[in-house]
Amino acid sequence: MNVLLIGSGGREHALAWALAKSPKIEKLFCAPGNGGIAAVATCTDLAVADHAAVIAFCNDNAIGLVVVGPEAPLVDGLVDSLQAAGILAFGPTKAASALEGSKGFTKDLCRDYAIPTAAYVRCTNVEAALLELQTRSVPIVIKADGLAAGKGVVIAQTMADAEAAIKDCFDGAFGGAGAEVVIEDFLVGEEASFFVLVDGRKVLPLATAQDHKRVGDGDVGPNTGGMGAYSPAPVMTPDLIQSTLDEIIEPTVKGMAERGTPYQGVLYAGLMITDKGPELIEYNVRFGDPECQVLMARLQSDVLDLLLATAQGTLNDVSAKWDAAPALCVVMAGEGYPGTPKKGAEIKGLDAASETDGVTIFHAGTKLDDNKVVANGGRVLGVTASGATVKQAQERAYQAIAKIDWPDGFCRSDIGWRAVEREQA
Ligand code: AMP
Ligand code: GLY
């Protein structure tokens, strides 16, 4: 089968690497891809926002499945266009992508199906939002309703910060995404991510992971797309996984189907494990980045079988096998990230680093220039290691990083600290 993967990040390199291992793959294409994906797939400069062009490419190249990596093309309705053209696609429709595309939509679904989540209110103008704020206390969470590249959430410690966040949103700091604001209570606990595949009705649990969103060691500094991750997340015990499935995932899947917008694709639940149990912070309608890197490092089943069964509505017929050994990914980013990163320098030592025991290096913001790997983005590499313990995986990832020669790059030095502390307790 020929497959087209959409995207250019570390998530897509991990998916391409896993797909390329499938004996059923004949040709793997990626649009647009990156310097690392080019080693396992044919990268093409297809304009992904031009749905007619994507459909024409699929027809010209006998594509049997399109796998959509990032949220933007999903929220933009790429899967709807492909389906209308009779092309099989992995990922939710535009309507079902509202689970990520509108925080207010998801909160209302939680209300209607009694899904545990922080108490909230939706506001469509600045006056109403400021009035609501007066009835609440800090810390309080202010969220732009729409997609804001992970930047639309402010945890305000003072009323003045909360007011400023509300005004920023309605002043257009996040464009159309901020035309509506969700104000919600602050949840206390440990965060974890849980991934499941959904084929419209049936849920196939995948695995748990934990991300490190802040840029600095010790979880300080501005939020990023994610500076590192590991899987599994030890905080997610089998009991907590079961209650997440029963109280959060299953009612969501049922609700989406009942509303006539069944969910098909991977569903990523961002959870807060509070003293009352798991509560939903948010949904994403795609794999996490860098969580996908650690999931693919642990997946032993053929990923193509899983993605195909999801898209075809036959998840009952497949199962997912996982390596019990943990995997950990350390992100290397260009100096300046999450602000403007330094780009353009050559990255050396990648071959030697990849030879470290248990290590696979996924590229995110790289490009090939005369066969040299050059930094070309904010998050640039995801150095991913497996190990008998999180500690061993962590050591291997940092051993590999020590062999990478890229003066403009930096990484956190404490990825996995919570799990390592648990292992040593
Ligand atoms: P989101 O984009 O909704 O995942 O929010 C980004 C981050 O903000 C989350 O990963 C949490 O760390 C934090 N966050 C969001 N909502 C809440 C909440 N209600 N209580 C505490 N932290 C939150
Ligand atoms: N790493 C967080 C995300 O993919 O949203």
Side-chain angles (χ1 to χ4, degrees), residues 103 107 118 141 143 150-153 155 184-188 191 213 223 270 272 280-282 284:
K103 294 188 188 292
K107 298 299 278 191
V141 186
K143 298 183 173 184
K151 297 184 181 125
V153 174
I155 296 174
E184 67 179 47
D185 287 355
F186 179 74
L187 294 171
V188 178
E191 275 184 64
K213 286 206 164 80
N223 261 327
M272 187 71 84
L280 183 72
I281 299 177
E282 62 158 0
N284 295 308

Side-chain angles (χ1 to χ4, degrees), residues 123-388:
C123 302
T124 49
N125 64 67
V126 69
E127 294 78 19
L130 293 175
L131 215 57
E132 278 296 338
L133 192 61
Q134 286 172 16
T135 67
R136 288 154 200 265
S137 55
V138 288
I140 185 102
V141 186
I142 312 294
K143 298 183 173 184
D145 180 72
L147 290 186
K151 297 184 181 125
V153 174
V154 171
I155 296 174
Q157 302 294 344
T158 64
M159 278 296 172
D161 286 352
E163 280 173 23
I166 288 170
K167 286 179 186 157
D168 274 357
C169 247
F170 286 110
D171 279 351
F174 308 109
E180 181 175 335
V181 161
V182 173
I183 302 177
E184 67 179 47
D185 287 355
F186 179 74
L187 294 171
V188 178
E190 185 171 338
E191 275 184 64
S193 307
F194 184 47
F195 296 85
V196 299
L197 293 176
V198 185
D199 72 359
R201 278 250 64 119
K202 158 89 183 164
V203 173
L204 177 71
L206 292 179
T208 60
Q210 228 161 10
D211 187 14
H212 300 64
K213 286 206 164 80
R214 303 298 192 97
V215 76
D217 282 2
D219 297 321
V220 298
N223 261 327
T224 69
M227 294 301 291
Y230 54 90
S231 172
V235 66
M236 289 294 284
T237 59
D239 278 354
L240 285 178
I241 289 178
Q242 195 56 52
S243 56
T244 303
L245 282 167
D246 294 344
E247 293 164 26
I248 298 178
I249 305 288
E250 291 287 358
T252 300
V253 172
K254 181 170 171 264
M256 294 301 284
E258 281 178 0
R259 290 174 168 200
T261 53
Y263 189 87
Q264 177 269 114
V266 58
L267 186 59
Y268 159 176
L271 304 169
M272 187 71 84
I273 311 307
T274 69
D275 52 14
K276 289 187 287 177
E279 299 204 27
L280 183 72
I281 299 177
E282 62 158 0
Y283 276 129
N284 295 308
V285 297
R286 50 173 173 84
F287 283 103
D289 188 345
E291 293 93 325
C292 188
Q293 288 81 319
V294 287
L295 257 52
M296 291 305 120
R298 291 186 55 222
L299 181 66
Q300 293 175 327
S301 310
D302 184 329
V303 74
L304 180 59
D305 286 342
L306 299 179
L307 304 186
L308 267 177
T310 305
Q312 287 169 328
T314 56
L315 271 181
N316 263 325
D317 301 342
V318 294
S319 59
K321 242 185 108 199
W322 298 92
D323 189 341
L328 178 141
C329 172
V330 179
V331 169
M332 294 187 78
E335 211 179 293
Y337 179 78
T340 308
K342 275 195 186 166
K343 291 185 188 176
E346 185 184 353
I347 304 171
K348 296 184 198 151
L350 288 171
D351 289 342
S354 315
E355 280 161 19
T356 314
D357 259 354
V359 166
T360 308
I361 299 178
F362 295 118
H363 293 217
T366 70
K367 65 174 182 184
L368 291 180
D369 206 348
D370 242 356
N371 275 330
K372 292 179 190 149
V373 175
V374 170
N376 189 39
R379 294 186 297 168
V380 172
L381 298 170
V383 180
T384 307
S386 302

